[in-house]
Amino acid sequence: MKITEFKLRIITSIDNLIDKYYGDPTMLDKFINATLKLLVQQNANKYDHVLNMFADENGNIDAHTVVSTYANMLEGEGITVDLRRYVPGYIGSMLPNKILILRKEDIMDILL
């Protein structure tokens, strides 16, 4: 899989997680949802150098191996992420006290 396609799948998976955790119809959740998606989109290219490390000489990533390796690491309870820690300033302070739980299935969804 080309790096650009793999990156698009990652972004889509993150957007789906954002919808799952901040998909309520309240105005605040709509604002948070849109803001988080915009932050992901605007910062997507900052990690190209990391994706390049997983690519072969033709610019392809063995997505199944990469995703499976990291997904297997999350076997069991998964890992918790406090988004307020990663979203700085005013926007971070507006986030509710919700913890994102990444499970194996969430990582495997990248391959869909």
Side-chain angles (χ1 to χ4, degrees):
M1 176 182 304
K2 290 291 183 191
I3 292 173
T4 53
E5 182 183 352
F6 187 65
K7 183 167 54 171
L8 180 60
R9 286 180 183 228
I10 292 170
I11 291 169
T12 301
S13 295
I14 292 171
D15 284 351
N16 290 338
L17 283 172
I18 291 169
D19 286 341
K20 187 187 298 185
Y21 281 83
Y22 298 101
D24 292 336
T26 66
M27 185 55 90
L28 179 60
D29 273 350
K30 287 179 183 179
F31 175 77
I32 291 170
N33 184 301
T35 302
L36 289 175
K37 287 180 179 179
L38 183 59
L39 289 173
V40 168
Q41 197 64 254
Q42 294 300 314
N43 289 286
N45 293 331
K46 290 183 178 180
Y47 302 99
D48 285 352
H49 63 284
V50 174
L51 292 176
N52 285 327
M53 292 188 315
F54 294 98
D56 63 16
E57 63 276 356
N58 298 316
N60 292 311
I61 293 177
D62 181 354
H64 183 68
T65 299
V66 171
V67 170
S68 296
T69 299
Y70 287 104
N72 287 334
M73 171 181 94
L74 300 178
E75 198 77 54
E77 295 183 26
I79 60 171
T80 59
V81 179
D82 183 355
L83 292 179
R84 292 173 299 162
R85 215 173 132 199
Y86 300 100
V87 178
Y90 180 68
I91 300 299
S93 69
M94 290 181 62
L95 292 175
N97 189 14
K98 287 185 178 180
I99 301 296
L100 175 66
I101 300 171
L102 290 175
R103 298 170 295 127
K104 179 178 181 176
E105 296 78 18
D106 296 322
I107 303 299
M108 293 302 291
D109 283 346
I110 293 171
L111 293 175
L112 294 178

